[in-house]
C-alpha cells in the first residue's frame, strides 16, 4: 500500500471518531480537547503528506505547524473561556 | 516612444498635474477654514471648498489613469492605439466638462446648480465625492465608454499581457461601479450602502488593480526583471486585493443602520486588507534589488518605491487603525478617518500616477530620462511632499485621538464644536505642513522646466 | 550530497511559490474567521450549543469524507504525472473534480433546507457564522474545481511531463488547502460543543 493511501485511511478513521463523538452528543473540556487534537493531527497529516510540506525546509513546516497550533490552541482557549464564564 | 499614438497621453498628464495644483490650493483654503471658519465666506463656504478639493482629486487621478492607459496599452499590445483622434476628442470633452462643473460649484449655490442641471429628473447629487451634476455624471460615462472602447479594441488587436489584462479589468470595474452613482434610494441607510459600492469598491477594489498594473509596468521598464516574475506577483496581489477588499466593504457599514453581521465581515476581511499592500511594498523593493539594468530615470524608481511604502502605511496601517468594529465605534467619522484618507490617497493613487508620469513624460518629450538637474528637483519634490504628507497624517491622527477622547470615550463628553476648538493647534500644524506640501508641488512643476543635458531616448 | 547539506538547502513546497503566498494568506483569513467564531461563541455558549444541534451533521460528515478522498485523488494525480503518465493524472484529477461536484451538491441541499426553514444571516449570531463560514468555504471549493479543471484539461492534452509539471502541483496545493480548512471547519461548527 502506498504511504498516501495509508494516510487517507487514517484521515477517514479519524473523521469517523469526530463524527461518532458528535453523534454521542458529548461535550465538556476533555471532549473539546480531544476533538481539537484530532483536528490538529488531521490537518498536519494533510499539510505534511498531501501538500508535501514534510519534505520542505524547516521554515515552511514551522509556518504551517505554527498556524495550525495557534488556530486550534486559540479555539481551545475560547471554549475554555466559554466554559468558565 | 515606441508608438506614435502614445503621444495622446501627454495632454492627459499635463491636465492631471494642473488639476492637482488646484486641488492642493483648495486644500489649503479649507485647512485654513478649519480654524478661521469665516475665511472667504460667503464667496467660498467650507462645504464648497471641500467639494472642489475632493472632486478635483478624483478627476485628476482619472486623468492620470487614462493617460497611463493610453501610454501603456500601445506599448504592451505592441500596436498603435485604435483611434488616437477619439482619445484627443475625449480629452477635451472631459476637461471642459470638468472645468464647467468646478465653475458651477464656485459660481452658484449648490442647490441652484442642482436645479439648473436637472437634478429633479433623476436625483443623484448631494453625496460626498459624487456631487457632480447629472449631466457631468452622464458625461463621465460617455468619456469612460469611449476610452474603454479605444483601449479594449487596442488590446484585442495586439499582444495580450497580464499587465494590460489587469489594467483593463480595473478600468472596466471603475466604469461599472460608477453606475451605482445614478442610484439614489430615498432611505439614507440604503443610499449609503450603495454609495460605498462606488467609493469603496473603487479605492479598495478596482483602483488597486490599476495601481498594481501601473506599478508592474514601470517596474518592468526600469528594472528589466523578467516579465514572468513580475506578472506572478501581480496576480497574487490582485487576488488578495479582491478577496479582502470586496467583503471588506463591510468596514464602512458599522453603526450606520446596516445588519450586525457586517461588523464581523468588515472586521475579519478588512483586517487582511493590509496584506496586498504589504506584498506590493515587498514586490517593489524586491524587483528593484534584482534589477538587471541601471535605468537613467532614477526619479521614476524613487516614486515607485515611494508608492509601495506610502500605500502600505496610508492604506494598510492607517486603515487598520480604525477598521475593527469595536474601535470604529469610537473613531467613526473623526479626524482619524481624515488622516487615513489623506495618506492612503496620496500613498496609493497620487504616487502611482506621479510614478507613471515620471517614467513616461521624459519619453513623451523625446528622451529616456530628464537631465540630472531636473531629476534632483523631482526627488526633492518627492521628499518634500511625502514628508509633508506624513506630518499632515500625524497631526490629523493626533487631532483625531484627542477628538475621540474628549467627545466620545469619556463620561463627560464635550460638544463637537467645543472639541474642535480644543484641537485647533493640530489644525494649525496641519496647515503649516500643507504649505510645505505646496512648496514640494511647486518644485515638482518647476522640474519640468529645468534645463540641462539629457540622454536621448 | 551529505545530510547536513540537504538540511541547509531551502527546499520550497511543491508548486509555484506564488501559490504558497496565496495559500497562507487564505489560511490567515480562515484562521481569523475561525477565532472570531470561537470567541463569539464564548459569549453565547447556550445559543451556539442549541443552534448547533439543528445542523445536519450527516451531510457535514459525508462532505468530510468526500473532500478527504478527493484530496487523495489529487495526490495520486501528482504521483502519476511525476512518473510521466499524463492520462492517468488527468483521470485522477477528473475524479477529484467529480467529488468536488458531490461536495457542492450536498452543500447546496443543506443550504436549501436551511433557507427553506427561514434561516438567514439575520437569524442569530450562530447562523450568521455558520452561513458565512460555509459559504466562504463553498466559494473556495468552486474556485478549486475551476483550477483543477484547467490543470486536468492541460494534462489530458499532454501539457505536463515528468520533468515539468509545476502546474499540477500548484493546483494540487490549492485543493489540499481547501480540504485542510474543512477539516477544522467541520468539527468547529458541526461538532465541538
Amino acid at each position: 500500500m502506498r504511504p498516501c493511501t495509508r494516510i487517507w485511511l487514517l484521515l477517514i478513521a479519524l473523521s469517523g471518531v469526530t463524527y461518532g463523538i458528535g453523534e454521542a452528543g458529548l461535550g465538556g473540556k476533555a471532549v473539546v480537547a480531544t476533538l481539537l487534537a484530532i483536528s490538529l493531527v488531521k490537518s498536519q497529516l494533510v499539510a505534511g503528506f498531501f501538500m508535501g510540506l514534510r519534505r520542505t525546509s524547516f521554515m515552511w513546516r514551522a509556518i504551517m505547524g505554527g498556524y495550525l497550533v495557534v488556530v486550534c490552541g486559540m479555539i481551545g482557549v475560547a471554549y475554555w473561556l466559554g466554559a468558565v464564564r | 516612444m515606441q508608438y506614435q499614438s502614445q503621444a495622446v497621453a501627454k495632454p492627459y498628464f499635463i491636465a492631471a498635474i494642473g488639476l492637482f495644483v488646484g486641488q492642493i490650493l483648495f486644500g489649503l483654503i479649507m485647512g485654513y477654514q478649519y480654524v478661521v471658519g469665516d475665511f472667504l465666506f460667503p464667496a467660498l463656504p467650507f462645504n464648497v471648498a471641500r467639494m472642489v478639493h475632493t472632486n478635483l482629486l478624483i478627476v485628476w487621478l482619472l486623468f492620470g489613469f487614462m493617460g497611463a492607459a493610453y501610454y501603456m496599452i500601445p506599448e504592451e499590445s505592441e500596436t498603435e492605439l485604435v483611434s488616437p483622434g477619439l482619445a484627443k476628442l475625449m480629452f477635451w470633452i472631459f476637461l471642459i466638462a470638468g472645468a464647467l462643473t468646478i465653475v458651477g460649484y464656485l459660481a452658484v449655490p449648490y442647490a441652484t446648480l442642482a436645479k439648473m442641471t436637472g437634478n429633479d429628473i433623476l436625483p443623484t447629487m448631494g453625496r460626498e465625492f459624487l456631487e457632480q451634476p447629472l449631466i457631468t455624471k452622464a458625461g463621465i460615462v460617455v468619456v469612460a465608454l469611449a476610452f474603454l472602447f479605444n483601449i479594449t479594441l487596442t488590446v484585442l488587436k495586439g499582444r495580450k499581457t497580464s499587465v494590460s489584462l489587469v489594467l483593463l479589468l480595473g478600468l472596466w470595474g471603475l466604469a461599472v461601479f460608477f453606475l451605482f452613482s445614478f442610484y439614489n434610494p430615498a432611505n439614507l441607510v440604503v443610499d449609503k450602502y450603495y454609495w460605498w459600492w462606488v467609493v469603496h469598491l473603487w479605492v479598495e477594489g478596482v483602483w488597486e488593480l490599476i495601481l498594481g498594473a501601473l506599478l508592474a509596468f514601470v517596474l518592468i521598464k526600469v528594472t528589466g526583471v523578467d516579465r514572468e516574475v513580475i506578472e506572478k506577483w501581480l496576480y497574487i496581489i490582485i487576488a488578495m486585493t479582491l478577496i479582502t477588499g470586496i467583503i471588506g466593504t463591510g468596514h464602512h457599514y458599522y453603526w450606520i443602520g446596516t445588519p450586525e453581521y457586517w461588523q464581523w465581515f468588515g472586521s475579519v476581511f478588512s483586517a487582511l486588507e493590509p496584506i496586498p499592500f504589504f506584498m506590493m511594498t515587498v514586490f517593489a523593493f524586491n524587483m528593484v534589488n534584482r534589477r538587471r539594468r541601471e535605468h537613467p530615470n532614477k526619479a521614476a524608481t524613487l516614486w515607485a518605491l515611494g508608492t509601495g511604502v506610502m500605500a502600505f502605511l496610508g492604506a494598510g496601517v492607517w486603515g487598520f487603525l480604525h477598521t475593527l468594529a469595536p474601535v470604529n465605534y469610537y473613531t467613526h467619522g473623526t479626524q482619524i478617518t481624515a488622516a487615513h484618507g489623506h495618506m492612503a490617497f496620496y500613498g496609493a493613487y497620487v504616487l502611482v500616477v506621479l510614478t507613471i508620469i515620471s517614467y513616461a513624460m521624459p519619453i513623451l518629450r523625446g528622451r529616456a530620462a530628464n537631465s540630472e538637474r531636473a531629476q534632483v528637483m523631482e526627488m526633492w519634490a518627492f521628499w518634500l511632499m511625502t514628508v509633508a504628507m506624513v506630518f499632515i497624517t500625524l497631526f490629523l491622527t493626533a487631532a483625531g485621538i484627542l477628538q475621540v477622547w474628549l467627545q466620545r470615550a469619556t463620561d463627560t463628553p464635550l460638544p463637537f464644536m467645543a472639541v474642535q476648538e480644543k484641537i485647533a493647534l493640530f489644525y494649525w500644524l496641519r496647515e503649516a505642513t500643507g504649505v510645505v506640501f505646496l512648496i514640494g508641488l511647486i518644485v515638482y512643476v518647476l522640474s519640468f522646466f529645468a534645463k540641462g543635458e539629457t540622454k536621448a531616448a | 550530497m551529505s545530510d547536513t547539506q540537504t538540511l541547509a538547502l531551502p527546499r520550497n513546497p511543491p508548486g509555484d511559490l506564488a501559490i504558497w503566498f496565496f495559500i497562507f494568506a487564505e489560511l490567515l483569513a480562515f484562521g481569523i474567521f475561525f477565532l472570531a467564531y470561537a470567541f463569539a461563541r464564548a459569549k453565547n455558549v447556550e445559543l451556539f450549543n442549541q443552534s448547533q444541534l439543528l445542523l445536519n451533521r450527516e451531510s457535514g460528515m459525508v462532505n468530510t469524507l468526500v473532500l478527504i478522498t478527493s484530496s487523495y485523488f489529487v495526490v495520486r494525480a501528482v504521483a502519476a504525472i511525476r512518473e510521466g503518465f499524463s492520462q492517468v493524472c488527468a483521470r485522477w484529477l477528473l475524479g477529484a473534480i467529480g467529488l468536488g461536484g458531490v461536495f457542492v451538491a450536498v452543500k447546496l441541499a443543506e443550504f436549501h433546507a436551511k433557507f427553506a426553514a427561514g434561516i438567514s444571516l439575520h437569524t442569530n449570531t450562530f447562523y450568521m457564522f455558520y452561513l458565512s463560514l460555509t459559504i466562504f468555504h463553498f466559494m473556495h471549493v468552486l474556485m478549486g474545481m475551476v483550477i483543477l479543471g484547467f490543470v486536468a484539461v492541460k494534462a489530458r492534452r499532454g501539457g505536463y511531463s515528468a520533468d515539468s509539471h509545476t502546474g499540477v502541483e500548484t493546483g494540487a496545493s490549492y485543493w489540499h488547502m481547501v480540504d485542510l480548512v474543512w477539516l477544522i471547519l467541520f468539527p468547529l461548527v458541526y461538532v465541538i460543543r
Side-chain angles (χ1 to χ4, degrees), chain B residues 6 8-9 12-13 62-72 147:
Chain B
Q6 285 179 291
V8 297
Y12 281 89
F13 288 152
L62 291 181
F63 268 111
F65 289 163
M66 288 185 193
Y70 284 134
Y71 183 84
M72 285 162 61
F147 160 74

Side-chain angles (χ1 to χ4, degrees), chain C:
Chain C
M1 207 180 345
S2 75
D3 267 341
T4 42
Q5 258 175 329
T6 334
L7 279 176
L9 279 174
R11 296 224 267 167
N12 286 333
D16 203 311
L17 194 59
I19 197 76
W20 283 92
F21 279 91
F22 194 57
I23 284 174
F24 280 112
E26 293 261 49
L27 284 177
L28 194 58
F30 274 107
I32 292 177
F33 224 145
F34 290 156
L35 295 185
Y37 170 93
F39 283 93
R41 177 194 175 274
K43 286 189 189 161
N44 296 290
V45 178
E46 288 289 296
L47 172 81
F48 273 59
N49 280 354
Q50 275 167 15
S51 310
Q52 191 182 52
L53 287 178
L54 303 174
L55 293 188
N56 189 339
R57 214 181 299 116
E58 285 70 33
S59 81
M61 178 59 185
V62 168
N63 268 345
T64 307
L65 299 181
V66 165
L67 270 195
I68 290 176
T69 308
S70 103
S71 231
Y72 169 71
F73 281 13
V74 166
V75 173
R76 296 299 297 264
V78 173
I81 199 65
R82 279 185 184 151
E83 288 164 30
F85 304 125
S86 35
Q87 293 313 314
V88 181
C89 167
R91 275 201 288 280
W92 281 115
L93 286 175
L94 287 178
I97 297 168
L99 286 174
V102 173
F103 180 95
V104 168
V106 172
K107 204 85 216 139
L108 284 177
E110 195 183 323
F111 285 144
H112 178 73
K114 287 287 171 287
F115 292 139
I119 285 166
S120 72
L121 288 171
H122 298 273
T123 305
N124 62 37
T125 313
F126 174 81
Y127 277 113
M128 190 282 285
F129 271 110
Y130 159 73
L131 285 176
S132 39
L133 269 170
T134 49
I135 290 174
F136 189 50
H137 179 266
F138 183 78
M139 306 298 278
H140 283 79
V141 173
L142 292 181
M143 178 151 149
M145 285 169 70
V146 171
I147 293 176
L148 288 187
F150 276 109
V151 175
V153 168
K154 191 169 169 188
R156 242 206 141 92
R157 289 192 191 137
Y160 300 108
S161 66
D163 299 323
S164 154
H165 52 261
T166 315
V168 182
E169 291 178 342
T170 304
S173 298
Y174 188 82
W175 189 251
H176 293 316
M177 185 274 289
V178 175
D179 177 32
L180 186 147
V181 167
W182 180 260
L183 291 185
I184 303 177
L185 199 160
F186 170 64
L188 181 66
V189 177
Y190 289 75
V191 180
I192 303 184
R193 44 194 298 108

Side-chain angles (χ1 to χ4, degrees), chain B residues 436-455:
Chain B
V436 177
F437 190 97
L438 177 68
I439 294 169
L441 182 56
I442 293 169
V443 174
Y444 177 69
V445 173
L446 289 178
S447 77
F448 286 90
F449 302 98
K451 299 274 184 292
E453 237 175 275
T454 56
K455 289 196 182 72

